[in-house]
Amino acid sequence: MKSQILATIGLCALTTSSFALINIGEGQIDMKVTGSVMHDSRITAQSGAPEDTIFSVTTAFTYVRKSPRFDIQATAGVRIDEYVDNSQFSDENLFFDLALNPEAEIRTSRIRFSGNLILNSDTRANEDVGGIITTNEYGLSGQLIYDPNRHYTVVLDGSTRVIDPDGGAYSRTRNTSAGVRVELPVNKQMAGFAGVRFTQHLFDGDTGVDSDSMAYFVGANGTLFSKMNGSLSVGLQERSLDEGPDTTAPYVAASLTWSQSERTQVELTASNSFSTTINEYNTEVMRMGANLTHKLNRLWSLGGNIGFSDTSYESGILPDRSDEEYYAGMQVSRKMGDWGQVGLSVRYSDRSSDIDDFSYSRLRIGATVSGKW
């Protein structure tokens, strides 16, 4: 298997002028191959976990059809992971994503709809559990935008997702959400909004505690400040457990991009939200991060990121737990003509927990080559 992976990576790196583009009706199919090698000092995301080197190859086919009233994009592929010293974790995972974007006009009103269907299998280290877990994910999501007269816009969205871990050791979870918000234009570049969102988390296991939550928020999106675009939401969220105390917490969802120049961009993100884990915890997760991208020239780019997360785990059966993590990383990449790019990356994280098994530091160093045809 390792020789096949290395051969694929080498083929991807050496191919500089072959384009296998297939046209089907009004659409086209593109193929992208990504090969990578990464050394991970804590492969199972747990204290005392072994280190290993992982070779990966991802092959994806994407069909794109664009038209004035109806866009379709479908992606399907497979990712192969090969662990050098811990072959029991080697695996193949399939993924599929279908996106639909129809649009209609009724007199002076405009209605836009977008939807996604997701069918994925994924094998990776799960930091909530402290192990390498294969999960199957099935989901639907959709958004309806009603723009009656350009004076206000109503946005309805909903999603349902099932996360089903292999092996039966962890719980299958079902997450459903629905929301509505009303947007009012402030000027040509920015809009303010207010909304509400309902979320339900259900466990199939015997020890999990189901929960419902409501979030009430206001915010703005568009060009918020000079050279800064994005979205900012703040508000209040409430969670009700089937068994246990209710929780009230601030609601934050922010993603802001500052374009310092044509070559340099800084992205700031922050969030505070309720969630669940496959080992039947209800969580409150606060995250903050900053990403820097700088283009040295038309071929070379540099990137860096830093961040922090604080996760509180609550369960009616398992012992409660609190984790904090700090991380920092750097990336460098080079475009290879019109067909792809190569890159190097490093990421260091330090996690502390009131349960010793989840206190550790982790270093990941990798190289990637990708090509698109």
Side-chain angles (χ1 to χ4, degrees), residues 21-257:
L21 188 65
I22 302 173
N23 294 315
I24 299 179
E26 298 181 6
Q28 65 183 37
I29 294 179
D30 295 325
M31 181 181 74
K32 183 177 182 179
V33 178
T34 302
S36 68
V37 56
M38 181 181 67
H39 185 79
D40 190 341
S41 66
R42 294 279 190 274
I43 62 171
T44 58
Q46 193 174 41
S47 177
E51 61 180 314
D52 206 341
T53 300
I54 306 103
F55 292 90
S56 300
V57 169
T58 302
T59 302
F61 294 90
T62 300
Y63 172 75
V64 179
R65 177 189 180 275
K66 293 185 176 295
S67 69
R69 293 290 180 220
F70 194 80
D71 293 346
I72 300 176
Q73 179 171 316
T75 300
V78 59
R79 191 184 85 238
I80 302 172
D81 295 327
E82 184 74 16
Y83 288 74
V84 173
D85 297 326
N86 298 270
S87 59
Q88 69 271 26
F89 297 129
S90 300
D91 206 351
E92 300 84 33
N93 292 279
L94 302 175
F95 56 88
F96 175 78
D97 186 355
L98 173 64
L100 303 174
N101 295 278
E103 181 176 329
E105 291 189 5
I106 304 175
R107 295 183 180 178
T108 61
S109 300
R110 184 169 57 170
I111 298 174
R112 287 168 286 166
F113 172 79
S114 61
N116 276 82
L117 168 66
I118 300 174
L119 303 170
N120 289 339
S121 175
D122 192 21
T123 301
R124 66 178 65 245
N126 187 305
E127 296 174 347
D128 299 318
V129 172
I132 296 177
I133 310 297
T134 297
T135 57
N136 301 302
E137 180 180 347
Y138 325 99
L140 288 169
S141 64
Q143 183 182 75
L144 179 66
I145 300 176
Y146 176 59
D147 186 0
N149 53 23
R150 305 298 194 271
H151 295 303
Y152 69 92
T153 302
V154 179
V155 181
L156 302 171
D157 63 82
S159 67
T160 182
R161 184 177 58 152
V162 175
I163 300 176
D164 188 7
D166 279 353
Y170 299 102
S171 178
R172 177 180 176 181
T173 62
R174 290 174 289 169
N175 304 318
T176 304
S177 69
V180 58
R181 72 177 187 267
V182 178
E183 299 184 357
L184 301 173
V186 177
N187 52 44
K188 292 183 179 180
Q189 296 180 315
M190 183 174 69
F193 58 81
V196 61
R197 174 171 300 281
F198 168 79
T199 305
Q200 183 181 65
H201 300 288
L202 301 177
F203 293 103
D204 282 357
D206 296 331
T207 61
V209 178
D210 298 339
S211 65
D212 297 334
S213 63
M214 295 291 296
Y216 311 90
F217 55 88
V218 296
N221 57 30
T223 302
L224 306 182
F225 308 102
S226 176
K227 297 184 178 181
M228 181 169 285
N229 297 286
S231 177
L232 172 64
S233 303
V234 295
L236 185 70
Q237 55 187 338
E238 300 174 338
R239 179 173 61 191
S240 175
L241 301 177
D242 283 0
E243 298 179 13
D246 296 345
T247 303
T248 301
Y251 174 84
V252 178
S255 178
L256 303 173
T257 300

